[in-house]
Amino acid sequence: MKWKIKPNRNRKIYHLFYAKSGMYIVVVIILFVAIGLLTTIKPAYRISSNTITNWTSKIDSSIFLYLLGLENRSFRHAFPEDESPPGLSKTLFQMATSMRPDDPRSLLGQEIPGFALFGNRIIVAGKGTDYTNLPIESSPPLEDVLREREAVIEETDEDDQTKQSIPDTAEKKVVFIYNTHNRESFLPHLPDIDDPDLAHHDEVNVTKISERLAESLEVNGIGAIVDETDIMDVLNEKDWEYGQSYEASRQVVEEAFSTNEHLNFVFDIHRDGMSRKHTTMEMEGETYAKIMFVVGEEHDTYENNLALATQLNDLIEETYPGLSRGVITKGGSGNNGIYNQDVSENALTIEIGGVGNDMEELYRSADILAEIFSEFYWDAEEVNVNVGEDE
């Protein structure tokens, strides 16, 4: 028996076929045009990887699991049976606005000054640390950061350090120190500046703390490298904004790891924007700049970084109670959330002092940090040696 298809049905099939074909052609054309735009426009106008990271970090992880399940059935077993697939409109809304409908803080954090700080978590609270005085990561216009300013600094005898008779890393550089916000400076050394947001200088800045920290580590037998890249110049050359600082410094960290096989620890040194009363302590007649450990929680291995920060914090508190402001994690709307710490499980962001501290206070604290870290490092090395001998 032969089946006959009515002419009007044939027309519907043809129309449907051509409609679908036309839709696919349009999608392909749009895709090629988009790729062409992204690869030919000037770098300053391209969507940066940092932007893409910020977009995707706002998306619920179950969405990615669901998408994988569309291609590979094995992933569907990991998706909760009682949970419906994520809605497209909700996902697009989160990407476009950085707000989560089920989390009012994502809206309030953008509208109320200072409210975004409550997205951070205090893991270990140092003396006097609470949610009202967490580190402030300012984002001034780049032109303000690059502006020339007068600075006054007097080097002291405290710079002279004698190398102790202890083990050393045999000229191997195992610690890498850099400064993402390398021009962060200090009001006591900027006589013409009284606004914390303008406390930036091309020479008198946090890089001096990094240099001091490296020197103190060397005294304790630990080889260290201090990166001298002016990240602010890099931003200016690339026509990037201040908020892209971590994207620029990431290239520095990755290059350091690719050219030095012995590097194991990475410290990004900053100074806080909080006032002096929150970042200073007195101990045995001397004033010190307080230290705080910051861990980005928006990458898969952040718990390893957090463990290192907590260990160092505890060691400081044992010997110098009150010097550490504690350990916090950062993530969510308005925060980078990674801080290049996904490059190594031993990568940390360390706030040493604040905008109101002077170099003497900062150097004293850098020496203590080097002392504590050295104890931690050599104790760990001794454990590794003993384990190796047992095996």
Side-chain angles (χ1 to χ4, degrees), residues 40-53:
T40 58
I41 60 177
K42 294 181 179 180
Y45 301 106
R46 294 179 190 171
I47 299 177
S48 67
S49 60
N50 184 57
T51 301
I52 296 174
T53 298

Side-chain angles (χ1 to χ4, degrees), residues 369-386:
L369 179 60
E371 171 197 328
I372 294 298
F373 175 77
S374 300
E375 292 176 4
F376 164 82
Y377 181 85
W378 292 120
D379 285 347
E381 286 294 299
E382 184 178 351
V383 169
N384 292 334
V385 169
N386 292 337

Side-chain angles (χ1 to χ4, degrees), residues 22-62:
M23 181 179 68
Y24 289 136
I25 292 172
V26 170
V27 170
V28 170
I29 292 174
I30 293 174
L31 180 62
F32 273 96
V33 171
I35 293 173
L37 289 173
L38 290 174
T39 55
T40 58
I41 60 177
K42 294 181 179 180
Y45 301 106
R46 294 179 190 171
I47 299 177
S48 67
S49 60
N50 184 57
T51 301
I52 296 174
T53 298
N54 288 336
W55 281 351
T56 55
S57 66
K58 308 298 185 300
I59 303 175
D60 192 288
S61 58
S62 63

